[in-house]
Amino acid sequence: ISHTSLNAHVDGERFHCIKETFHDFDKRWNHTIQVYRHPMPELFYFVHKRTLFFGLNLVGGKMTDYEFYFNKFRYEFEVVKSMIDKYVVAGNAVNVVIFGHAFPKDIHHRSFFEPLRDYIDRKLKNKVPILYLNGDKHFYQSQKNYMGQSNFHRL
């Protein structure tokens, strides 16, 4: 999935707003945190105080191209998995926080959350605390043991 193909799925005005607001957001103040970006600029990660943080573009709302988003969310899972393997399994980080915006919906987001749930269970053995933080519903809701995993929480 390329940044160009993502642009084709977001109308010009919305994409411009997203780009103006979030593109290089981390460069708007002085800090010493090294922020890494993938080819899709809306996907970033960094480690701070032994916590691995992710910013993902897990969108909600109406899916106009289900196959595109299925593949996009699966790609984002693969990035999260590989970075957890690199930083957490290697011992440089001990916690994970995922900013994803969208309130998870089974049908829309299963290509991200189902493999993540299986990875947390089978590979990480529920030993790594993971928080998924979303703001899509605009009210406070906390779910411990998210998707049946003892160390996976959603806020």
Side-chain angles (χ1 to χ4, degrees), residues 30-126:
N30 292 327
H31 62 84
T32 58
I33 299 169
Q34 178 64 48
V35 177
Y36 301 93
R37 294 187 182 277
H38 262 257
M40 292 186 291
E42 70 276 10
L43 195 161
F44 65 89
Y45 62 93
F46 61 89
V47 177
H48 183 63
K49 295 187 178 183
R50 300 199 65 200
T51 299
L52 176 59
F53 292 87
F54 290 96
L56 305 178
N57 186 19
L58 292 176
V59 295
K62 185 178 179 181
M63 300 289 174
T64 56
D65 185 340
Y66 183 77
E67 183 179 351
F68 170 80
Y69 284 105
F70 183 91
N71 292 329
K72 179 187 182 309
F73 297 155
R74 183 59 181 221
Y75 174 80
E76 290 183 279
F77 161 72
E78 293 296 336
V79 170
V80 167
K81 177 181 167 287
S82 66
M83 293 303 104
I84 291 174
D85 285 344
K86 180 177 180 177
Y87 292 100
V88 177
V89 174
N92 298 323
V94 295
N95 309 296
V96 176
V97 175
I98 301 170
F99 300 103
H101 183 68
F103 182 83
K105 297 176 186 167
D106 291 339
I107 191 152
H108 285 68
H109 304 105
R110 71 174 171 219
S111 63
F112 178 82
F113 285 102
E114 287 179 3
L116 180 61
R117 176 201 59 213
D118 295 344
Y119 175 72
I120 291 168
D121 181 40
R122 295 179 187 141
K123 172 81 185 248
L124 301 178
K125 309 286 187 205
N126 272 294

